[in-house]
Amino acid sequence: SGGYTGPVEPQPIVLGKGEVVYCTVTNERAETGRLTIVKDATPSDYTVFSFTGDVGQVPEPGQDMSWVRSIEPFTLQDPSNPSHTPEGVGYLQYHVTEGALPAGWEFGGVECTGNAVAEVVDASTRTVEVVVGRDEAVICTFSNTGYGYIQLQKLVTPADAPLATFTFDPSWSDSNINMAGGVLSMPIKLPAGSYSVAEVGLPAGWALTSAACSDGSSPSAIGVSPGETVTCTFTNQYGEEEEGGSLTVIKRTTPAGGTGFAFDAGALGT
């Protein structure tokens, strides 16, 4: 009763007199499971990451693997297209590899949820081996971080100015940076993001005349993208007061008297 479903049509059973017929019905449970790959990028700037995959399990003799599909190459972008669930993934072992990383990005690792047995086979090739359990939904998250660089350049005028040490206060460190005039610092590796740096405690007789960064940003708001190197140049002049100076003109006459003398101070500016 209730009908019949299966891979073949019902067949008539002919019973002979006194005969006992045993009918055996064999059911094979379909291989099930689902694997989802997620991209977690810092920063989430729509950078494209590529992936490939394959079946890591060798079938046993006589095992039907016709239902298995290979993992076709795919790409992910965080946040617009951050996940992918390959079709045909079932109760098997798989290898998933993240392709060559875009410039300025580093591999942070892979984490898989559920009862999946996951192991990073080769961190240099960003490959994970994961076993998808029967009826299990496995999620493996590949994380990446983008890095850039900041350089500081100190220029001084005039060329014969006395030697001096200049101090900078960077937002990315609790320690100040000391530099001499005419020096370009080594590139400072930083996670992509926003930073600032200020020149502090100028030596006596020096004034800051300009401060600008190579990407057009202000040193107070430096935006560093993955793979980018931003150079911030600070120029100082010796012989000027940072807040401006004053000039006093004294007139002495011989003999002293009340005669007045006129002066033109227009060339001094304001």
Side-chain angles (χ1 to χ4, degrees):
S1 62
Y4 172 87
T5 59
V8 296
E9 294 296 327
Q11 299 296 320
I13 302 173
V14 179
L15 291 176
K17 186 177 181 178
E19 181 181 14
V20 178
V21 176
Y22 295 92
C23 296
T24 302
V25 179
T26 302
N27 298 89
E28 182 176 343
R29 184 180 182 185
E31 302 289 357
T32 60
R34 186 170 70 252
L35 174 62
T36 299
I37 307 301
V38 175
K39 166 55 57 189
D40 180 16
T42 304
S44 302
D45 63 352
Y46 300 92
T47 296
V48 178
F49 298 86
S50 61
F51 292 85
T52 57
D54 59 57
V55 178
Q57 177 174 317
V58 178
E60 299 178 0
Q63 183 179 3
D64 180 16
M65 298 285 286
S66 61
W67 58 272
V68 177
R69 299 182 187 178
S70 61
I71 299 178
E72 298 294 330
F74 61 95
T75 60
L76 296 177
Q77 288 178 284
D78 187 7
S80 61
N81 179 36
S83 66
H84 175 68
T85 302
E87 295 183 2
V89 171
Y91 176 46
L92 286 175
Q93 177 191 84
Y94 295 89
H95 293 151
V96 179
T97 299
E98 185 173 39
L101 294 178
W105 289 90
E106 295 184 4
F107 177 63
V110 184
E111 291 187 0
C112 297
T113 63
N115 297 322
V117 179
E119 178 181 358
V120 176
V121 178
D122 189 343
S124 64
T125 61
R126 301 162 300 281
T127 298
V128 64
E129 180 181 278
V130 57
V131 176
V132 179
R134 191 184 296 274
D135 295 330
E136 185 175 16
V138 178
I139 300 175
C140 289
T141 301
F142 284 71
S143 61
N144 301 82
T145 301
Y147 289 87
Y149 298 87
I150 292 179
Q151 281 186 296
L152 301 181
Q153 185 175 35
K154 166 54 61 182
L155 300 180
V156 296
T157 59
D160 60 351
L163 297 178
T165 299
F166 301 89
T167 302
F168 297 89
D169 180 14
S171 65
W172 60 84
S173 174
D174 293 332
S175 301
N176 288 342
I177 300 172
N178 295 319
M179 296 178 61
V183 172
L184 178 65
S185 73
M186 294 293 292
I188 303 165
K189 183 179 180 181
L190 298 167
S194 182
Y195 299 93
S196 65
V197 60
E199 189 173 32
V200 295
L202 279 173
W206 288 90
L208 176 65
T209 56
S210 67
C213 298
S214 58
D215 64 348
S217 63
S218 165
S220 62
I222 310 168
V224 180
S225 300
E228 180 185 22
T229 298
V230 180
T231 301
C232 293
T233 302
F234 291 76
T235 303
N236 297 78
Q237 184 170 346
Y238 181 70
E240 293 189 2
E241 297 292 338
E242 186 174 10
E243 299 299 331
S246 63
L247 174 64
T248 302
V249 179
I250 300 175
K251 165 56 65 179
R252 292 189 176 91
T253 62
T254 303
T259 304
F261 295 85
F263 295 87
D264 181 6
L268 297 178
T270 57

